[in-house]
Every structure is written in C-alpha cells, then in structure tokens.
C-alpha cells in the first residue's frame, strides 16, 4: 500500500478516521482489472473531451497515453481503453474533503487546460480484504488552468482576380444578386447575432453544480452512515443471541447435575460398584445376577431410563 500522505483542505468536518488515506487510491488503481461505476463518469469525460478544440483534445489524449506508456507495465488492467481510464485516474490530483470514523471522502481533479477540470469524488474505507475505494460522483466543473492552443499558420490574403469583361449576361446576374441582398439597416432573421450571444453565466452554473455535488456527497455519507449503523445493530443482536444460547446451555447442564445429585446413584452405578464382589468369568454369573436383582428392585422396565440399563426386561 502507498503510504504517502494526501493533502487536506480546510474542511471543518474532518475528524480522526481509521479509513485509508486518499493517496492509497493510486495503489488500488494499479491492481484493478475492471471499473464498475454507475455515476456516468465515462460519459461525462467523453462529452467534455469532444467539446474541446482539436489541439486541446490531442494534448489531453497525449498526456493520458504517456501515463499508460510509463506505468502500463505495473497495471493489472488489460491493454486498451481500460488502461487509459486507469491512467486518467492516476493523473488526477487527490485531496481530502472530509472524514468520519470509518470513511474518508476525497476529491480527484484532472485539469483539462481550458479553464475546466474533471472533478470526481470517491470514498476510502477498510474492507474485509484491505482498503476499498468507491467512486461516488463525477462532473466537469470550472477552475482549471487556461492554456492557449497553438494557432494555425496565417493564410496569406488572396489577391483580387482580374475583372472580367461586362456582358449582357453578367449584367443581368449582377442585378439579380443585388436585388436578393438586404438593404442596409434591414435585419436578417435567420442569422444569429454574433456580437451579442445568448446570456449564460458560466460561474453561476459552476456554483450550482458544486452545490448539487456537495448535497449529493452529504446524501451518500448519510446513506453509508445508516448502513454502518444497521450492520452494527445486526452484529450486536447476533452476539446477544449467541450469549443467550450459551447461558441456556450452562443452565441446562447445571440442572441435570442437580437432578442427578438429588436422585443419588443409579442401578448401573450400584451394579458397577459391587460387581467386584463376584468371581470373574462363568463362576461369578450367579453372584452378578443376585446383585442385579437387588439394585433393580422396583426399576424393571422394557424401556429403562438412563442409568438403569441393567434393569431392562428381556
């Protein structure tokens, strides 16, 4: 397990936690052979990637492929797209958001370089087989660095072609073109006004996404808290049932001992204690029968109770 400490933020909700650190996620990512997530993580990232300019998109893909080239041999994931996803998660910076007794909530951020970042939230906990990581949410948010892509080379201004001679046909075509164009001051309804695009407050939208993400994290934390409390209640009930069964067994054994002591020695006990009075073998047959008749007096039965097996009637 990687023991490097992860950087904490200023969250006042962080408490002493027994969960693994955020940085332990890197060691787990190198060991996985599949990614099971139901938060739309892959679709969110792909949509953001496709919306970028070509130069920025190629830069992001190059960074991911470079990580695969350097760390691919250490990945358990098969070659192909899965290793690229593992590389993306490894490249993300990881910080602690908050912690409770059994869980640590962490942030992962991958900087696109266009003023946005791919922000994913995960939790760390201790499972039966060691540290466990669970991805809780993923979204594209504002806050990344802004890098300007290399501009394409300038295209030289084309020279105006030589004027063609005016003929009757070209004059008619020019007149038709002029009639089809709108006069100055006319509004062309079909074309958007590029100087005044529809208003869109990107910062407000980013804040809304952040608030919704924090709310979802709190809901997830509450669900996990309730599940942990339920498991503790089940474990306590099981321990109580086992303790009750042990107490019942002890009480039953004690009652049997008391009952045996109250009744005194059984016919079998008396027979075994007196059979030494008789000679061994055939010569002691009559003696042993006499002892049996004495100890079984009043106890003969076809189904004798325990301790009176010598008193069974043939």
């Amino acid at each position: 397990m990687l023991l490097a400490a992860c950087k904490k933020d200023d969250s006042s909700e962080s408490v002493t936690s027994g969960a693994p650190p955020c940085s332990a996620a890197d060691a787990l990512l190198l060991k996985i052979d599949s990614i099971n997530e139901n938060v739309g993580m892959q679709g969110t990232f792909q949509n953001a990637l496709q919306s970028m300019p070509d130069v920025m998109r190629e830069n992001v893909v190059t960074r991911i492929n470079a990580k695969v080239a350097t760390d691919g041999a250490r990945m358990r994931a098969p070659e192909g797209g899965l290793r690229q996803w593992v590389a993306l998660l490894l490249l993300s910076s990881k910080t602690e958001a908050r912690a409770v007794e059994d869980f640590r909530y962490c942030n992962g951020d991958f900087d696109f370089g266009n003023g946005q970042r791919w922000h994913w939230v995960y939790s760390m906990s201790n499972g039966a087989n060691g540290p466990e990581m669970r991805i809780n949410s993923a979204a594209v948010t504002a806050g990344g660095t802004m890098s300007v892509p290399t501009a394409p080379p300038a295209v030289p201004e084309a020279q105006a072609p030589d004027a063609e001679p005016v003929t009757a046909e070209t004059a008619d075509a020019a007149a038709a073109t002029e009639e089809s164009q709108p006069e100055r001051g006319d509004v062309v309804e079909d074309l958007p006004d590029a100087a005044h695009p529809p208003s869109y407050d990107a910062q407000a939208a980013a804040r809304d996404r952040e608030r919704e993400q924090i709310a979802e994290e709190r809901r997830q934390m509450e669900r996990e808290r309730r599940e942990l409390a339920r498991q503790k209640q089940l474990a306590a009930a099981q321990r109580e049932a086992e303790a009750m069964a042990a107490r019942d067994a002890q009480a039953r054994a004690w009652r049997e001992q008391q009952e045996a002591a109250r009744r005194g020695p059984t016919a079998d006990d008396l027979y075994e204690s007196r059979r030494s009075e008789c000679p061994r073998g055939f010569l002691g047959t009559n003696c042993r029968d006499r002892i049996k008749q004495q100890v079984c007096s009043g106890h003969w039965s076809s189904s004798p109770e325990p301790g009176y097996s010598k008193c069974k009637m043939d």
Side-chain angles (χ1 to χ4, degrees), residues 45 49 52-67 88 91 110-114 145-150:
F45 183 84
L49 197 64
M52 295 180 187
D54 293 343
V55 175
M56 287 188 175
R57 181 168 58 252
E58 292 175 1
N59 179 47
V60 171
V61 174
T62 299
R63 288 162 56 194
I64 294 174
N65 289 337
K67 187 65 173 177
L88 171 64
L91 286 170
F110 179 84
D111 194 343
F112 284 121
N114 65 343
T145 59
M146 178 66 73
S147 59
V148 180
T150 304

Side-chain angles (χ1 to χ4, degrees), residues 68-149:
V68 173
T70 56
D71 293 345
R74 298 193 298 143
M75 297 179 186
R76 185 176 297 177
E79 296 183 2
L82 183 56
R83 285 196 179 182
Q84 291 179 319
W85 280 109
V86 173
L88 171 64
L89 298 176
L90 289 173
L91 286 170
S92 301
S93 62
K94 301 170 181 67
T95 57
E96 179 180 317
R98 60 182 62 88
V100 294
E101 181 179 357
D102 298 298
F103 294 93
R104 195 180 304 276
Y105 295 90
C106 310
N107 294 323
D109 290 287
F110 179 84
D111 194 343
F112 284 121
N114 65 343
Q116 293 181 318
R117 57 194 171 100
W118 185 60
H119 179 73
W120 52 288
V121 178
Y122 62 100
S123 60
M124 298 295 299
S125 61
N126 288 308
N129 299 320
E132 293 181 352
M133 180 184 74
R134 176 183 298 174
I135 297 178
N136 299 324
S137 64
V140 176
T141 63
T145 59
M146 178 66 73
S147 59
V148 180

Side-chain angles (χ1 to χ4, degrees), residues 151-310:
V155 179
E157 184 177 355
Q159 296 180 352
D162 295 337
E164 296 182 358
V166 178
T167 64
E169 295 179 355
T170 56
D172 294 339
T177 302
E178 291 180 359
E179 292 177 358
S180 64
Q181 297 296 327
E183 297 180 1
R184 292 185 179 230
D186 290 347
V187 178
V188 183
E189 298 292 344
D190 297 335
L191 298 179
D193 187 354
H196 302 283
S199 60
Y200 175 73
D201 191 342
Q203 294 183 351
R207 288 194 296 269
D208 291 342
R209 289 194 297 269
E210 289 285 353
R211 284 194 292 268
E212 177 59 28
Q213 180 180 332
I214 292 174
E216 178 58 30
E217 292 175 10
R218 292 181 183 275
R219 289 192 292 269
Q220 178 66 22
M221 185 167 59
E222 178 63 21
R223 288 193 293 268
E224 293 179 348
R225 185 193 65 78
R226 289 197 299 267
E227 175 62 20
L228 184 61
R230 187 184 69 84
Q231 293 178 2
K232 288 182 177 180
Q233 290 177 353
L234 291 177
Q238 183 176 358
R239 289 193 299 268
E240 178 63 24
E242 292 173 352
M244 184 177 295
R247 289 194 296 268
D248 290 344
Q250 292 176 353
R252 185 167 56 253
W254 183 83
R255 288 194 300 270
E256 291 175 354
Q257 292 175 359
Q258 293 296 317
E259 181 66 20
R262 184 183 61 79
R263 292 188 303 178
T266 62
D268 292 347
D269 294 335
L270 294 173
Y271 178 83
E272 293 297 331
S273 65
R274 293 184 57 188
R275 66 182 299 178
S276 61
E277 300 174 4
C278 304
R280 295 184 177 180
F282 176 77
L283 297 178
T285 301
N286 291 334
C287 176
R288 289 190 292 273
D289 287 343
R290 184 178 65 258
I291 294 175
K292 184 186 295 186
Q293 292 294 328
Q294 293 174 355
V295 300
C296 289
S297 177
H299 298 288
W300 292 102
S301 173
S302 58
S303 300
E305 60 184 359
Y308 292 87
S309 60
K310 299 296 183 183

